[in-house]
Amino acid sequence: MRTKSRSALVAAVLMVAAAAVYAQVGHPAKGSWLGYWGPDQKVQRRLVLNLDWRNQAVVGEVNPGPNAAKITRSDLDYTNWTMTLEAQLPNASGAREKWVAVGKIENLGSWTNRRYSGTYTQGAEHGTFQVTLH
């Protein structure tokens, strides 16, 4: 009987430990986000955000690779999960221009369907973007 009690206790401790490890997956904005942005449905460009959470701020880069742009400013309103990101992205002529994305993070409890979407401006261009966590 004593062996069964110990086994039950060990099983319970392991289940609690597993739940605690699962809960420590990180900040809701952290990760690789993939999607598209553009001024209309005809003109859509690939968008990749690699975001991390450091020193109480969202940091990272937009479109990693040869044209990568470091995020220069981020703001996250926890009351409604609205996030603003700024970076200097190449425009159509290749010159760097301020890009500002303002959107909402949705489906916070999902690792397979979390979305960040909203509107952006880059110079005179305005449009929408939508990315999902991968």
Side-chain angles (χ1 to χ4, degrees):
M1 189 69 149
R2 210 169 183 177
T3 304
K4 285 185 180 180
S5 296
R6 283 187 189 162
S7 295
L9 179 62
V10 168
V13 168
L14 289 175
M15 286 175 33
V16 169
V21 168
Y22 182 72
Q24 302 295 322
V25 292
H27 191 274
K30 184 177 179 173
S32 294
W33 300 79
L34 307 173
Y36 293 91
W37 64 294
D40 55 44
Q41 291 298 318
K42 290 181 183 178
V43 179
Q44 290 288 300
R45 296 176 289 268
R46 189 80 166 143
L47 177 61
V48 178
L49 302 174
N50 280 339
L51 304 179
D52 200 358
W53 177 251
R54 284 191 215 129
N55 300 322
Q56 304 297 312
V58 175
V59 297
E61 63 182 2
V62 181
N63 295 333
N67 293 319
K70 188 177 187 105
I71 292 173
T72 56
R73 181 180 159 271
S74 66
D75 183 45
L76 184 55
D77 182 347
Y78 291 101
T79 61
N80 58 13
W81 288 95
T82 299
M83 183 164 64
T84 302
L85 299 176
E86 291 183 11
Q88 295 289 324
L89 293 183
N91 61 18
S93 66
R96 297 269 174 177
E97 196 168 38
K98 185 177 181 178
W99 177 82
V100 179
V102 179
K104 187 171 183 170
I105 301 175
E106 300 174 300
N107 302 326
L108 292 170
S110 172
W111 284 105
T112 58
N113 195 29
R114 189 168 311 159
R115 179 180 37 220
Y116 172 47
S117 61
T119 59
Y120 75 90
T121 58
Q122 184 182 23
E125 183 178 300
H126 303 277
T128 61
F129 71 93
Q130 180 173 311
V131 291
T132 56
L133 186 63
H134 287 268

